[in-house]
Amino acid sequence: MEISRRSLLKTASALGLVAAGFAVSEGFLQPILAQTKTVDENTQLLAQSLATPT
């Protein structure tokens, strides 16, 4: 299979844009994921405290 230079450059630039999109989204999602993790930890702690007999 032979790839033309133009096709190779199109594919490489598209992959570069996708990689840049992932890098940007990671920065935007970091605070949201951190908040979700905190909520999950608090929920687990609450569930553990409710499960313990008093």
Side-chain angles (χ1 to χ4, degrees):
M1 181 170 122
E2 219 172 289
I3 272 186
S4 68
R5 183 173 185 255
R6 179 176 292 192
S7 177
L8 176 68
L9 290 175
K10 282 182 182 178
T11 304
S13 63
L15 289 174
L17 287 174
V18 169
F22 279 134
V24 168
S25 69
E26 182 70 25
F28 284 123
L29 292 178
Q30 198 86 19
I32 295 170
L33 293 175
Q35 288 175 352
T36 304
K37 184 177 177 182
T38 304
V39 169
D40 289 343
E41 288 173 354
N42 289 340
T43 304
Q44 288 175 355
L45 289 173
L46 180 62
Q48 288 173 356
S49 67
L50 291 176
T52 1
T54 54

